[in-house]
Amino acid sequence: MSRFFTAGDSSSESSSSDEEELYSEEETEQKSEKASSDEEEEGSDEDESSSSDDEGGKSGVSKFLRDAASSEGESSDSDTPKIVKSAKDKRLEELEGVIKLIENAEKINDWSSISTEFDKLNRQVTKITASDKAPKVYIKTVADLEDFMNETIAKQKVSTKKMNATNAKGLNAMKQKIKRNNKDFTTEIDKYREDKGDYMMSDEEEEAVPVERTKKPKAVYVEGIEGGDDEGFSTVGRGGKTLQYTPESIFKHLRSIVESRGKKNTDRAEQIRVMEKLLEVATTPYQRIRVLLTLMSTRFDLTTGSSTTFMSQEQWKLAEHEFGTLLEVLEDNRHMVVLENAEEWEDDDKPPQPAPGEKLRIPGSVVSIVERLDDELTRSLQHIDPHTAEYIERLRDEQALYTNIVRGLLYVEELKKDTKLDTPQESANRIVMRRVEHIYFKPSQVVNILEETAWKSIPSELDSKITPRGQAQDIASLVQTLCSYLFENSADIIRGRAYLCQVYFCALHDQYYRARDMLLMSHLQETIGNFDISTQILFNRTLVQVGLCAFRAGLVYESQNTLQEICGSGRQKELLAQGVMIQRYSQVTPEQERLERQRQLPFHMHINLELLECVYLTCSMLLEIPLLAQTGSSPDIKKRIISKTYRRLLEFHERQIFTGPPENTRDHVMQASRALAAGEWKKAAELINSIKIWELMAQPDKIKAMLSEQIQEEGLRTYLFTYAPFYDTLAVSTLASMFELPERKVAAVVSKMISHEELAAALDQVNSAIIFRKGVELSRLQSLALTLSDKASGLIEANERTLEQRTQGTANAFERQGGQGGRGGRGGRGGRGGTRGDRGGARTRGGQQFGGGALGGAIKA
């Protein structure tokens, strides 16, 4: 064949390093003479196809010649087979280059470079062995490298000179890598070590093999192979090889899955399907435990790094069922334990054999799986609309989760009984804390159902040392026992959270004094700022629950004082983690907003904010209205504000020209406040009792009766503060009939006001009357003058503080009694005013001063 035809033929073939190049032996010999010219023609193939019109004839001829060459090539195919030089050849050359670098690094004992190049070597071999066995040169390299490593370790043990840190780190890394890597090539390495010469010479790798180019089938039908489904199809892996899942191959599959975790383009759903098949073929308990641990971890990985924010209910239920299966296997096989501090078993061919009298330790964490199940359920409840049936359906899974928490606690208790296992106390603390967090905010009746259902699902031979089966009936003692266990065995955050949970539970069940004393004795209010945000949220929830408990007990002052910090801020949603408040000009980054949303509590844990506001405003009304009446009748008393939020709402309501009937809770309280201030206590009680939110509290009739009684008492106090200046004496019976209170109660209220010096009067017990003492009564003008003087003194103090800040402590230079005036510098107007002071008489040295006018003269006289 002529070179002209060869050139035409070569221009039709695309020459790249990744595609196969087919040349006949004769073409190769002819091309060796003019290789450079042929390469230029090959490189300019694309340019010729898009050239100008003057080269059009040439491209047409080459087209014709290409057809001729192809027809001649077809005839030559029938005579002589073509020799393949694929991209594999290039990879083999690269492989040899890396091997050369490893050999050079061995000469200078550079283990850091050996470790790096060994990783490259394995990556290249993976590409080559995708459809063929490993190259012999690779087998030779890893076998020699293992021998060299063993020699180095032996020399290092007897040598006095130690390796540097980098080399030692590289050697330790290679020790693990070679041990793990050479397991897959044990047979080939043994053949190589038996006779190195014969191994390398016999059955050499064929660089040129006659093949026919065929398309790879997408689906393979395999007949009579085990592992396929009923229709005869089976799973096909890389290279067209049929994958068979057998008990012997379980650990190799698991290792490949574990090593691919966290890598990109990993099909986790496919991995889950593989492990489900492995679980079916697993025969021993050890195999089942290993598969179950890896399977649950992979299910949890489905949500990491993906667009889904929470685990689907289907996957969660499968993971929960698998966790129950794992605990059953562990309970049936007491000689196997799952521990966090257990060492990984490296040999995939045979299971580990524990020493006589010891238990087989499997690396894993039962507590971490429980925590992850709990977190995933909470995350799904956060994202589901709480007003749909889906939320209720999802919430039913909490019973299964609580059962697994109790069962997991029993397993951890069993591990702690064996002192040889050295189980950390933290594991028990974590799972007990999860159990407490599922019951502290629920009423006793609900917790009782949870406990009974959980213990029915647990085998009767299992029992807890911390909380025995019989204790499940008494929920108060159950919470006390769990929290006491955490007080004794934990520290810092877990202990603080357990304390807050117990206080919350006591407040929820109307044990106000116990909850208050525990909260005060803990001193958590002083150190809560040092805790994490979730614990601070729990503290806020506990504080609110204690305030609501005080209100239910009729302790209005204590309730208002407790709720003031949370409700007075106007940020109840944010502080209780029941909603995200994004302000218009807030500097919140998307990351901060995401973290804030993750901290939100599920809807079934919420405290009703409308009820909370209603309780707070009602308590503020019962305290503020008598105080307003007292300060209004006695201007000399220093004004005191109990609730700024309530005062602001009341002022806004009073400024309204027209007020219609109350529409919401706030309107009811504001209109009741105005009625109470006017002495219409019956109307105030009616407005307060008509609020529908009281029906959400336990025993609403008792709450309404308590509120009516409180409104009667505060109405009496308000009446006495308002009209005391207009009475000389007042019969107790008159007040009792006005406010429908017993005379004994009226006398008690009046005596308390007299003892606290709130009322200038005396109680005549003989005649059952109140005798008012008349003090110095100020006129309207005098009251306004006193108010003006108070405001002026406040303004002077504010000016002095501002001056002190601006002059940075040098305000003494501007004293008014210095003779240099009040403006500084040259004395200003005050300095010059001193020279004219003799003529005016009214002006003194130091500038013009205010003499008080006519009122000032009258006072001086």
Side-chain angles (χ1 to χ4, degrees):
M1 185 184 293
S2 66
R3 279 201 301 129
F4 180 78
F5 282 90
T6 305
D9 183 41
S10 61
S11 63
S12 66
E13 299 285 333
S14 61
S15 59
S16 65
S17 60
D18 296 330
E19 296 180 359
E20 296 182 354
E21 302 171 353
L22 301 178
Y23 302 104
S24 65
E25 293 180 356
E26 295 177 0
E27 289 171 350
T28 308
E29 292 175 1
Q30 292 173 359
K31 275 184 151 185
S32 61
E33 300 175 2
K34 299 286 185 177
S36 59
S37 62
D38 290 346
E39 287 173 0
E40 291 175 2
E41 288 177 6
E42 288 173 2
S44 62
D45 180 37
E46 293 181 2
D47 296 333
E48 287 175 2
S49 64
S50 59
S51 61
S52 58
D53 294 339
D54 57 352
E55 294 178 350
K58 187 176 178 181
S59 63
V61 172
S62 64
K63 246 173 141 183
F64 175 76
L65 292 175
R66 277 199 299 269
D67 294 337
S70 61
S71 62
E72 190 172 350
E74 289 175 3
S75 63
S76 63
D77 285 342
S78 58
D79 300 333
T80 57
K82 288 188 178 180
I83 299 203
V84 176
K85 285 189 177 179
S86 64
K88 183 178 177 182
D89 297 336
K90 197 171 242 184
R91 289 184 185 135
L92 286 172
E93 291 177 4
E94 293 174 359
L95 195 69
E96 291 173 356
V98 174
I99 292 171
K100 188 68 176 175
L101 292 175
I102 291 176
E103 291 173 353
N104 292 338
E106 287 177 4
K107 293 176 183 176
I108 59 174
N109 206 25
D110 185 1
W111 285 99
S112 177
S113 300
I114 292 173
S115 178
T116 306
E117 298 300 328
F118 187 73
D119 292 337
K120 289 183 185 177
L121 184 72
N122 282 334
R123 283 197 295 270
Q124 291 172 357
V125 168
T126 303
K127 297 176 183 177
I128 295 173
T129 57
S131 58
D132 202 354
K133 61 182 182 179
K136 292 182 185 253
V137 66
Y138 173 75
I139 300 297
K140 175 181 179 296
T141 303
V142 294
D144 293 344
L145 192 56
E146 185 177 7
D147 296 339
F148 180 68
M149 181 192 70
N150 293 333
E151 290 175 10
T152 306
I153 293 172
K155 289 179 183 176
Q156 196 64 27
K157 288 180 180 178
V158 298
S159 174
T160 56
K161 186 178 179 182
K162 299 294 181 183
M163 276 187 179
N164 59 36
T166 308
N167 249 4
K169 187 177 179 182
L171 180 60
N172 290 332
M174 282 301 300
K175 186 177 178 182
Q176 299 296 327
K177 289 177 185 177
I178 290 178
K179 185 178 179 183
R180 194 182 308 118
N181 182 75
N182 287 12
K183 287 176 185 175
D184 299 332
F185 308 104
T186 307
T187 309
E188 295 293 323
I189 291 174
D190 291 341
K191 287 181 184 178
Y192 168 73
R193 284 178 175 158
E194 285 175 7
D195 194 341
K196 297 182 180 181
D198 281 349
Y199 181 80
M200 297 303 295
M201 293 297 293
S202 64
D203 296 330
E204 287 184 349
E205 296 171 342
E206 299 179 0
E207 297 182 358
V209 181
V211 296
E212 293 183 6
R213 298 181 64 180
T214 57
K215 293 182 179 179
K216 294 182 180 178
K218 294 182 179 178
V220 180
Y221 179 77
V222 183
E223 221 175 340
I225 294 182
E226 294 180 3
D229 56 18
D230 296 336
E231 297 181 357
F233 288 94
S234 62
T235 308
V236 178
R238 298 180 65 180
K241 296 180 180 178
T242 305
L243 293 179
Q244 297 185 11
Y245 302 112
T246 60
E248 293 77 17
S249 66
I250 285 177
F251 299 123
K252 289 184 179 180
H253 287 295
L254 288 180
R255 181 169 296 282
S256 65
I257 290 171
V258 170
E259 289 176 352
S260 66
R261 285 185 70 184
K263 294 183 180 179
K264 291 183 178 180
N265 302 324
T266 302
D267 189 355
R268 297 190 181 95
E270 178 61 30
Q271 289 181 346
I272 289 172
R273 285 193 291 270
V274 169
M275 282 186 284
E276 287 173 347
K277 293 179 181 178
L278 294 177
L279 186 60
E280 292 174 3
V281 301
T283 54
T284 64
Y286 177 73
Q287 291 175 345
R288 298 189 69 194
I289 292 171
R290 287 283 304 273
V291 173
L292 285 169
L293 288 171
T294 313
L295 178 55
M296 283 184 283
S297 301
T298 311
R299 286 196 195 279
F300 293 136
D301 285 346
L302 285 172
T303 55
T304 56
S306 62
S307 58
T308 55
T309 53
F310 61 93
M311 199 173 181
S312 66
Q313 186 176 8
E314 180 188 0
Q315 291 292 334
W316 189 90
K317 284 189 172 182
L318 288 171
E320 182 268 330
H321 176 70
E322 287 155 3
F323 179 69
T325 306
L326 173 66
L327 291 178
E328 289 176 3
V329 174
L330 290 171
E331 289 162 3
D332 295 338
N333 299 273
R334 298 289 184 180
H335 62 284
M336 297 183 184
V337 292
V338 174
L339 292 175
E340 294 182 19
N341 53 9
E343 294 184 1
E344 186 75 29
W345 182 255
E346 298 289 343
D347 193 352
D348 294 338
D349 294 330
K350 56 182 180 179
Q353 298 295 331
E358 291 191 1
K359 295 182 178 180
L360 176 58
R361 304 185 182 192
I362 304 170
S365 175
V366 172
V367 180
S368 297
I369 296 172
V370 170
E371 289 179 332
R372 190 63 190 270
L373 283 170
D374 191 9
D375 293 341
E376 290 294 343
L377 180 62
T378 303
R379 196 175 293 123
S380 66
L381 291 172
Q382 287 174 344
H383 289 85
I384 297 173
D385 184 2
H387 305 292
T388 60
E390 183 185 0
Y391 189 89
I392 304 299
E393 183 70 26
R394 196 74 181 94
L395 194 57
R396 291 176 183 170
D397 293 333
E398 188 181 15
Q399 177 64 66
L401 175 63
Y402 186 77
T403 304
N404 281 327
I405 290 175
V406 176
R407 201 164 180 178
L409 177 59
L410 298 181
Y411 181 72
V412 173
E413 286 184 48
E414 188 69 27
L415 293 181
K416 287 189 67 63
K417 290 179 184 178
D418 191 347
T419 55
K420 295 180 181 179
L421 297 177
D422 193 20
T423 307
Q425 178 63 41
E426 184 189 0
S427 299
N429 294 342
R430 284 159 54 195
I431 199 164
V432 170
M433 191 68 234
R434 291 283 175 166
R435 186 176 178 185
V436 171
E437 287 177 346
H438 274 272
I439 61 176
Y440 80 94
F441 64 93
K442 293 184 174 76
S444 297
Q445 300 86 345
V446 179
V447 180
N448 199 10
I449 295 171
L450 267 179
E451 283 287 323
E452 287 181 358
T453 311
W455 284 108
K456 284 178 183 177
S457 305
I458 297 173
S460 57
E461 64 270 10
L462 297 177
D463 202 357
S464 173
K465 184 180 179 183
I466 302 174
T467 56
R469 280 179 183 266
Q471 198 177 5
Q473 301 296 327
D474 188 1
I475 304 304
S477 64
L478 172 67
V479 175
Q480 172 72 31
T481 303
L482 292 173
C483 293
S484 300
Y485 179 83
L486 292 174
F487 300 157
E488 296 171 4
N489 298 290
S490 63
D492 302 332
I493 291 179
I494 292 184
R495 176 182 290 180
R497 290 184 68 86
Y499 209 95
L500 290 172
C501 288
Q502 187 172 3
V503 173
Y504 190 105
F505 185 83
C506 292
L508 186 65
H509 293 80
D510 294 329
Q511 302 175 23
Y512 169 71
Y513 291 104
R514 184 184 179 193
R516 181 200 64 182
D517 294 343
M518 287 182 65
L519 192 60
L520 292 175
M521 286 190 298
S522 68
H523 297 285
L524 279 171
Q525 59 271 20
E526 301 168 7
T527 59
I528 193 62
N530 300 328
F531 285 79
D532 61 323
I533 295 178
S534 61
T535 307
Q536 294 179 23
I537 291 169
L538 179 58
F539 177 80
N540 295 339
R541 285 167 53 81
T542 305
L543 205 61
V544 165
Q545 199 58 248
V546 170
L548 293 175
C549 180
F551 177 78
R552 292 193 295 270
L555 305 171
V556 174
Y557 176 77
E558 288 82 353
S559 176
Q560 200 278 340
N561 197 22
T562 307
L563 297 176
Q564 174 66 37
E565 188 176 356
I566 303 297
C567 299
S569 64
R571 299 166 54 222
Q572 296 96 311
K573 274 188 179 182
E574 188 177 351
L575 294 175
L576 298 176
Q578 296 181 190
V580 181
M581 299 179 64
I582 304 298
Q583 299 177 358
R584 181 177 296 178
Y585 301 108
S586 62
Q587 301 292 328
V588 179
T589 62
E591 180 66 18
Q592 290 174 334
E593 184 180 350
R594 185 182 65 81
L595 293 174
E596 185 68 25
R597 292 190 184 280
Q598 284 181 355
R599 286 192 287 264
Q600 299 303 299
L601 295 172
F603 183 76
H604 68 282
M605 296 178 67
H606 284 193
I607 297 171
N608 193 305
L609 294 179
E610 188 179 355
L611 176 64
L612 182 60
E613 183 187 30
C614 183
V615 169
Y616 175 69
L617 291 178
T618 304
C619 293
S620 299
M621 177 193 76
L622 295 173
L623 297 176
E624 283 278 12
I625 295 301
L627 183 63
L628 286 170
Q630 183 183 7
T631 55
S633 62
S634 304
D636 55 333
I637 297 177
K638 188 176 181 181
K639 289 187 177 181
R640 184 165 59 95
I641 297 176
I642 295 176
S643 171
K644 290 183 179 180
T645 305
Y646 173 80
R647 286 282 183 97
R648 187 168 59 250
L649 291 172
L650 186 62
E651 289 172 4
F652 175 76
H653 191 267
E654 288 177 347
R655 283 199 303 268
Q656 290 183 343
I657 299 172
F658 172 76
T659 54
E663 296 179 356
N664 52 31
T665 303
R666 191 174 295 178
D667 290 347
H668 278 85
V669 177
M670 292 301 111
Q671 291 195 17
S673 302
R674 294 184 66 176
L676 187 60
E680 301 177 5
W681 67 270
K682 286 186 177 179
K683 183 180 178 183
E686 183 182 351
L687 284 166
I688 291 296
N689 289 336
S690 64
I691 299 175
K692 295 180 179 179
I693 199 74
W694 302 126
E695 302 296 331
L696 297 179
M697 300 186 79
Q699 300 177 337
D701 295 334
K702 184 180 176 182
I703 298 294
K704 291 178 181 179
M706 180 268 295
L707 286 172
S708 299
E709 185 181 344
Q710 291 284 346
I711 289 171
Q712 284 175 307
E713 290 182 21
E714 297 306 326
L716 172 61
R717 284 164 47 82
T718 305
Y719 183 83
L720 290 174
F721 282 136
T722 306
Y723 297 106
F726 304 100
Y727 283 101
D728 289 328
T729 60
L730 183 61
V732 173
S733 59
T734 304
L735 290 174
S737 62
M738 286 176 63
F739 292 95
E740 299 179 4
L741 287 170
E743 291 188 10
R744 192 178 185 86
K745 183 70 174 176
V746 174
V749 171
V750 173
S751 299
K752 188 176 181 181
M753 293 174 68
I754 293 171
S755 66
H756 290 172
E757 297 182 356
E758 295 175 343
L759 188 66
L763 185 63
D764 186 357
Q765 295 183 348
V766 176
N767 298 318
S768 186
I770 305 169
I771 303 171
F772 295 94
R773 291 196 303 267
K774 297 294 181 182
V776 179
E777 293 186 7
L778 298 177
S779 65
R780 179 69 174 165
L781 179 61
Q782 289 172 329
S783 299
L784 291 173
L786 285 172
T787 305
L788 177 64
S789 65
D790 288 342
K791 290 186 176 180
S793 62
L795 184 61
I796 289 171
E797 289 177 3
N799 285 341
E800 288 178 352
R801 283 196 298 269
T802 306
L803 186 64
E804 183 75 20
Q805 290 174 359
R806 292 195 175 185
T807 56
Q808 298 180 355
T810 59
N812 293 332
F814 303 96
E815 289 181 354
R816 292 174 183 254
Q817 295 96 358
Q820 294 297 321
R823 295 291 178 95
R826 292 183 291 113
R829 198 169 58 189
R832 292 194 299 272
T835 60
R836 300 194 297 270
D838 297 336
R839 290 178 294 174
R843 296 185 181 182
T844 59
R845 190 180 180 192
Q848 183 177 3
Q849 295 183 352
F850 177 64
L855 182 61
I859 293 173
K860 288 177 184 177

